[in-house]
């Protein structure tokens, strides 16, 4: 997605588990430098491609996929 500017608050999906709001710090070469909202300084800054950013929280939530946890051998035991 294009059209994000410095200072915009957008959303990312973290570990395919939760949606996190981030603030755009800069864009160069198709990579966006973002920081997690609520963390001060550059300690929480990461670089992401534009397709990983979502305009709304709802759009990010719609991409989440729930996976059933894998069963272990203990799940099949009759105790």
């Amino acid at each position: 997605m294009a059209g994000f500017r410095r200072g915009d608050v957008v959303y990312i999906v973290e570990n395919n588990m939760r949606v996190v709001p981030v603030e755009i710090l800069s864009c160069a070469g198709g990579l966006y430098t973002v920081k997690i909202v609520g963390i001060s300084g550059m300690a929480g800054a990461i670089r992401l491609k534009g397709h990983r950013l979502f305009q709304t929280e709802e759009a990010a939530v719609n991409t989440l996929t729930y996976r059933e946890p894998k069963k272990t051998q203990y799940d099949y035991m009759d105790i």
Side-chain angles (χ1 to χ4, degrees):
M1 284 185 133
F4 299 123
R5 296 176 184 238
R6 184 173 191 227
D8 287 351
V9 175
V10 296
Y11 299 89
I12 62 171
V13 176
E14 191 174 68
N15 293 331
N16 201 24
M17 293 174 46
R18 66 185 186 130
V19 176
V20 178
V22 296
E23 179 184 348
I24 296 179
L25 299 177
S26 68
C27 177
L31 293 174
Y32 291 89
T33 303
V34 299
K35 75 170 186 168
I36 298 173
V37 173
I39 295 179
S40 61
M42 290 292 288
I46 56 174
R47 297 195 78 182
L48 299 170
K49 290 188 177 183
H51 73 276
R52 303 267 319 266
L53 304 175
F54 299 94
Q55 192 80 29
T56 64
E57 187 174 4
E58 293 172 357
V61 168
N62 289 337
T63 63
L64 294 175
T65 57
Y66 176 74
R67 295 185 193 141
E68 197 66 37
K70 290 184 177 181
K71 291 188 175 188
T72 66
Q73 67 270 22
Y74 301 110
D75 295 327
Y76 298 101
M77 293 176 65
D78 292 327
I79 298 177

